[in-house]
């Protein structure tokens, strides 16, 4: 899962050779802007067949690949 | 009194921070009418200096065109100074509807509604026509006023990479379940001067049943063979659902804007768009001026043809001089310097040479993309452009950037 999400983030949001690790701050680090979180949320919902409530899809919860995985796992259960 | 010394100090600190960061904006006072030749007081209190202006949005030289000035005078005499009302109470004159009809015809749309500015048009249009069941998919480099309008709208918002049609298609597929999908772009992007691929975008919007929105503020009046805009250039007139544009650039340079497009969408704006409902519309003399502009541009393509010729001359001159410019064919011609301080230094030295052009750097453009944005006008004569080229060569030589690659400039001056 981690690698799939990381791959999506890089393809979707990174235009140069910025290094993205599992802990790279995505929102607070300016890689993903708040508008673009929408497609990340929809990607996760489609790929893992889950529904993430809007109030849980916060900038904090989306701020790194690791944090996103925690969020997804919560709704996979 | 709530504005205490502590509060004053708080704001002073913020403003000082802007100055320290080199982000503090200062106005330069122009003592003449807007034109190719202007008289400028800069810095404040300095004697007036005659300079050539190559950074105005005065693409067609209409800001001080004598026929436009006379039409505005006549409009002032016949229809007064202002309306003291919003449109739907008692603020609509015959000339407002005349102008709306003329814009509709000029842009090749179904109907038009005027707004106090294009910023207001972009601020009001999305909320008026979309709901939370819909999605807006915008190019990542659209104008700030579109971002503001999007923020005011309850529809979902997503973005696609600048001018990347494959990415746009992915997004249209991703959001296929939405009631309405609206693709949003500028026609001409104001920082780089490149154009949206409207032919491809129309194809994609047809394929995925999406609406297409174009802000053509940096195109109306001069892009396309008869100056109708980016949709004319790409052969898709009549196929754009919403066009917003301004009367503050090529179409006169004063103020005002509009939403033009499908009849029902324009009517939705008339019923629901807040900047239309809660603000006075364009003042009568300005309306009369824009009507004259459209009459002039509809009768002849001479001015946009001259602008095209001037633009070709200017782009070739800069390339021949060994400067790096953004490729394209619009009159927005960024001279790339990459380093913010270098852009500021070159701008200052150009001013000393009698050329008024401004440096743009982060956060207005991305880090390492600092530039002097030049904008060509039909109001320029070749002698203006020759003088400006001479100044660029002289200043470019001083900083040793002529004939140098991006890499060489960055190595010397940094990003």
């Amino acid at each position: 899962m981690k690698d799939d999400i990381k791959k999506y983030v890089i393809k979707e949001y990174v235009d140069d050779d910025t290094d993205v690790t599992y802990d790279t701050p995505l929102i607070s680090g300016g890689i993903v802007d708040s508008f673009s979180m929408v497609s990340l949320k929809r990607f996760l919902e489609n790929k893992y067949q889950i529904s993430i409530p809007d109030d849980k899809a916060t900038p904090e919860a989306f701020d790194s690949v690791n944090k996103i995985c925690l969020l997804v796992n919560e709704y996979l259960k | 009194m709530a504005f205490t010394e502590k509060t004053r100090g708080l704001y002073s600190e913020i403003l000082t921070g802007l100055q320290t960061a080199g982000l503090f904006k200062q106005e330069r006072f122009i003592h003449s009418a807007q034109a190719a030749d202007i008289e400028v007081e800069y810095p404040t209190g300095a004697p007036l200096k005659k300079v050539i202006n190559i950074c105005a949005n005065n693409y067609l030289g209409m800001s001080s065109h004598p026929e436009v000035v006379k039409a505005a005078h006549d409009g002032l005499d016949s229809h007064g100074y202002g309306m003291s009302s919003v449109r739907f109470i008692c603020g609509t004159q015959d000339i407002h509807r005349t102008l709306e009809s003329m814009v509709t015809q000029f842009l090749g749309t179904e109907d038009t509604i005027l707004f106090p500015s294009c910023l207001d048009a972009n601020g009001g249009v999305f909320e008026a026509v979309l709901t939370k069941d819909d999605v807006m998919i915008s190019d990542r480099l659209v104008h700030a006023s579109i971002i503001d309008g999007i923020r005011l709208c309850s529809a979902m918002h997503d973005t696609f990479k600048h001018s990347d049609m494959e990415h746009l298609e992915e997004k249209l597929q991703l959001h296929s379940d939405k009631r309405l999908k609206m693709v949003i772009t500028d026609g001409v992007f104001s920082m780089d001067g490149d154009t949206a691929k409207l032919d491809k975008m129309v194809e994609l919007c047809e394929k995925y049943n999406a609406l297409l929105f174009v802000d053509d503020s940096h195109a109306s009046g001069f892009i396309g063979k008869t100056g109708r805009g980016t949709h004319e250039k790409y052969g898709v007139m009549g196929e754009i659902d919403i066009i917003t544009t301004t009367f503050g650039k090529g179409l006169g340079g004063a103020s005002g804007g509009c939403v033009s497009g499908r009849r029902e969408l324009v009517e939705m704006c008339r019923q629901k768009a807040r900047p239309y409902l809660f603000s006075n519309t364009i003042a009568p003399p300005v309306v009369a001026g824009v009507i004259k502009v459209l009459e002039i541009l509809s009768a002849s393509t001479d001015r946009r043809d001259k602008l095209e010729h001037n633009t070709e001359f200017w782009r070739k001159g800069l390339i021949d001089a060994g400067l790096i410019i953004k490729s394209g064919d619009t009159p927005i011609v960024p001279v790339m310097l990459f380093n913010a301080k270098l852009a500021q230094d070159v701008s200052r030295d150009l001013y000393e040479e009698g050329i008024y052009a401004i440096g743009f750097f982060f956060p207005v453009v991305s880090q390492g993309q600092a530039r002097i944005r030049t904008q060509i006008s039909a109001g320029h004569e070749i002698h203006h452009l020759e003088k400006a080229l001479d100044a660029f060569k002289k200043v470019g030589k001083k900083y040793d950037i002529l004939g140098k690659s991006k890499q060489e400039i960055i190595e010397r001056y940094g990003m």
Side-chain angles (χ1 to χ4, degrees), chain B residues 72 335 392:
Chain B
V335 179
F392 262 104

Side-chain angles (χ1 to χ4, degrees), chain B residues 82-93 96 114 116 270 273-282:
Chain B
M83 289 307 295
S84 310
S85 169
V86 299
R87 282 284 294 271
F88 76 95
I89 297 179
C90 56
T92 300
Q93 292 173 315
H96 290 108
L114 302 179
R270 224 175 271 286
R274 295 170 73 84
Y276 170 86
L277 294 174
F278 298 111
S279 176
N280 286 10
T281 191
I282 310 171

Side-chain angles (χ1 to χ4, degrees), chain B residues 87-121:
Chain B
R87 282 284 294 271
F88 76 95
I89 297 179
C90 56
T92 300
Q93 292 173 315
D94 57 335
I95 53 173
H96 290 108
R97 194 57 197 151
T98 299
L99 177 56
E100 287 174 338
S101 298
M102 290 179 76
V103 171
T104 300
Q105 193 173 0
F106 189 79
L107 298 179
T109 55
E110 295 176 8
D111 199 1
T112 299
I113 176 175
L114 302 179
F115 280 81
S117 69
C118 190
L119 182 142
D120 282 320

Side-chain angles (χ1 to χ4, degrees), chain B residues 231-304:
Chain B
H231 56 325
E232 185 185 25
K233 174 185 170 76
Y234 284 95
V236 289
M237 282 189 76
E239 296 180 65
I240 312 297
D241 302 297
I242 297 176
I243 296 172
T244 60
T245 194
T246 179
F247 307 125
K249 297 184 168 67
L251 300 180
S255 64
C258 67
V259 170
S260 191
R262 305 297 179 197
R263 194 171 296 110
E264 294 78 7
L265 299 178
V266 170
E267 192 56 42
M268 287 296 286
C269 289
R270 224 175 271 286
Q271 300 305 318
K272 292 184 67 180
R274 295 170 73 84
Y276 170 86
L277 294 174
F278 298 111
S279 176
N280 286 10
T281 191
I282 310 171
V286 176
V287 174
V290 182
I291 287 174
K292 178 53 71 178
V293 169
L294 289 175
E295 282 174 4
I296 293 170
L297 300 183
S298 300
S300 162
T301 61
D302 286 356
R303 297 190 81 81
R304 60 84 52 207

Side-chain angles (χ1 to χ4, degrees), chain B residues 34-110:
Chain B
Q34 183 64 280
D37 296 296
I38 53 174
E39 286 187 276
V40 182
E41 173 195 340
Y42 183 76
T44 304
L48 297 189
K49 184 176 172 74
K50 288 185 177 175
V51 294
I52 295 170
N53 190 354
I54 56 166
C55 60
N57 298 317
N58 186 20
Y59 297 113
L60 294 167
M62 288 297 189
S63 303
S64 312
H65 190 291
E67 287 183 50
V68 177
V69 172
K70 181 177 184 309
H73 273 293
D74 292 347
L76 186 62
D77 290 339
S78 63
H79 285 74
Y81 172 66
M83 289 307 295
S84 310
S85 169
V86 299
R87 282 284 294 271
F88 76 95
I89 297 179
C90 56
T92 300
Q93 292 173 315
D94 57 335
I95 53 173
H96 290 108
R97 194 57 197 151
T98 299
L99 177 56
E100 287 174 338
S101 298
M102 290 179 76
V103 171
T104 300
Q105 193 173 0
F106 189 79
L107 298 179
T109 55
E110 295 176 8

Side-chain angles (χ1 to χ4, degrees), chain B residues 332-346:
Chain B
I332 298 173
V333 188
V335 179
M336 300 306 295
L337 299 166
F338 311 105
N339 174 278
K341 182 169 186 308
L342 179 62
Q344 288 168 292
D345 289 345
V346 169

